[in-house]
Amino acid sequence: MHSDRSLFASLMSRRSVLTAAGATGAALAAGPLRGGEAAAAPAAKAAPRGSTEDPVTTPAVTGLHLQFGADASSEVVVSWHTLQPVEDARVLLGDGTGRYTRTCKAETVSYTDGKSRQVVYAHHAHLTGLRPASDHVYFAVHAGAQPEFGSFTTAPKGRAALRFTSFGDQGTPTLGKLSDGKYVNDNLGSPAAADLPAGVERVQPLFHLFNGDLCYANLATDRVRTWSDFWDNNTRSARHRPWMPAPGNHENELGNGPIGYRAFQTYFATPRQPGQTDTTRGLWYSIKAGSVKVVFLANDDVCLQDAGDSYVRGYSGGAQKTWLERELRSARADRDIDWIVVCMHQVAISTADQFNGADLGIRQEWLPLFDKYGVDLVVCGHEHHYERSHPVRGRRDNATLTPIPVSTDTDVVDTSQGTVHMVLGGGGTSAPSNRLFFDPPACRVITSVSGTADPATGKRTPTYTKEDAPWSAVRDAAHSYGFASFDVDPGRHPGDLTTITVTYYDVTGTQGELRPFETFTLRRRRTDG
């Protein structure tokens, strides 16, 4: 790897020159490299190592992004994609001082888009054996391409302070469909979809939770272009901190694999779990970061609503639920884990009228497990607004299985008594729902769907049952777009209170300007007491 060592040193040297000249936005000397994307290095070409690729026809490193492995303290995946095969895809890794440490070969996977027949190649370099809470820089490269720079910090091992963020339902800010001679946005995106990554970078989390409906490619004229636009928009953040996704209904793209999720499964390399098949690989998984366990669910498996390109309810045959119970049981028994967070797309609570509504399938399948194993927090999307519940545990014996609030304190919430649900669907979609709130709060719950699709819509017709919403705590009716930031304080001693300070930010400008809407605290006793 001598040539890679030399290439890395040359690239870092060039970046240092630019930094000294004030030509880059993020200097290596600035510390843990958790801020916005730095300017690209000048044209230092990657050593082709025997390749004769023409740099004019060689695809660039595009859509650079990160994911954590199951152990976020030691495992990171660096990913990018191309629209043609490449040679020698690899990552040149350095430490926080900018010293080259090793080269990691990338694994290439692909899918053929069922609509355009375009083949997409994704390259995933799995970095393992990393030190906890350590800073790293890297360059992603393949033969003949300009190396692309990124940085990341691994999670701490054990109890330590950390920050993560969350939103869902983003779309892209770009135009993709020609209609009457004019281009329009055909994937439910808006200009705000460009503002949210800049907002996330302002608070510089360790990682970001993406609660599904990433880019709405299934609605787009050109699905591959929409995914590319999505990555072009988000790489400025996602190359510096893992963006960890849960699949939403709009990740279900007709013709892309047996149940429609092949694009999602190709662009992301999430930790594969026991019981998954090639059809379901990577759709549900978990990571551990410090004292936080995050469990990612694929809700279309249990939802009644017909909202994707195909109706796939029950596709796992119960495998996801079996895995979930085992995962929650293990997490709650682990004395090194205090917090259990679930990231999923569709919701169990919502007070928006004439929108998607809450889904009885989630209340039937997931909520009893959340109660049984004391899940602290659930972050969702699907409804395109912000609201949160009081802590809930148990359910009424009625047609909608209404969750029961155990406290009405909105400032400090004891999650050992109940689970807080947060709807964070203001990631940039062009169809916000914050102006549709029931007053007083109420909820429309999907309690059944028709057995066959309506010929006019192609969807199974839902039946809604309205309920009171005693679980409703806070909602943002004035602003459509924003995200939540979570600051974990582990406490100092065994048995101490540990807290998560939650701030929901309205994103108000093109540079990700932020205005706090509310701040509240989650708390519970540490499990090591």
Side-chain angles (χ1 to χ4, degrees), residues 273-277 280 284 301 314-326 366:
Q273 302 300 311
Q276 290 180 338
T277 66
T280 61
W284 59 85
D301 190 19
Y315 63 75
S316 82
Q320 182 176 192
K321 185 175 183 179
T322 298
W323 171 86
L324 173 61
E325 178 153 25
R326 184 169 59 245
W366 293 164

Side-chain angles (χ1 to χ4, degrees), residues 258-304:
I259 57 173
Y261 297 99
R262 191 64 79 210
F264 176 91
Q265 293 167 308
T266 301
Y267 287 110
F268 294 98
T270 60
R272 190 160 178 170
Q273 302 300 311
Q276 290 180 338
T277 66
D278 185 60
T279 297
T280 61
R281 60 179 170 81
L283 294 181
W284 59 85
Y285 62 99
S286 68
I287 64 170
K288 181 180 178 182
S291 59
V292 180
K293 184 80 165 187
V294 186
V295 178
F296 299 82
L297 298 180
N299 278 3
D300 278 334
D301 190 19
V302 301
C303 282
L304 294 168

Side-chain angles (χ1 to χ4, degrees), residues 434-447:
N434 60 301
R435 296 181 182 178
L436 301 175
F437 287 135
F438 282 106
D439 189 16
C443 179
R444 294 168 72 242
V445 184
I446 299 173
T447 51

Side-chain angles (χ1 to χ4, degrees), residues 162 164-166 207 209 211 285-287 289 291-297 323-324 327-328 331-332 337-344 370 373-380 415 419-420 422 424 486 488 500 522:
L162 60 85
F164 61 94
T165 54
S166 179
F207 60 96
L209 303 182
N211 314 334
Y285 62 99
S286 68
I287 64 170
S291 59
V292 180
K293 184 80 165 187
V294 186
V295 178
F296 299 82
L297 298 180
W323 171 86
L324 173 61
E327 198 73 9
L328 294 180
R332 193 44 78 204
I337 294 174
D338 297 322
W339 298 98
I340 302 177
V341 177
V342 169
C343 176
M344 63 188 197
F370 297 171
Y373 297 105
V375 168
D376 298 286
L377 173 67
V378 176
V379 293
C380 304
T415 61
T419 304
V420 173
M422 296 182 69
L424 298 164
F486 303 84
V488 179
I500 300 180
L522 308 177

Side-chain angles (χ1 to χ4, degrees), residues 22-40:
T24 182
L28 179 63
L33 290 165
R34 298 176 190 174
E37 177 188 350

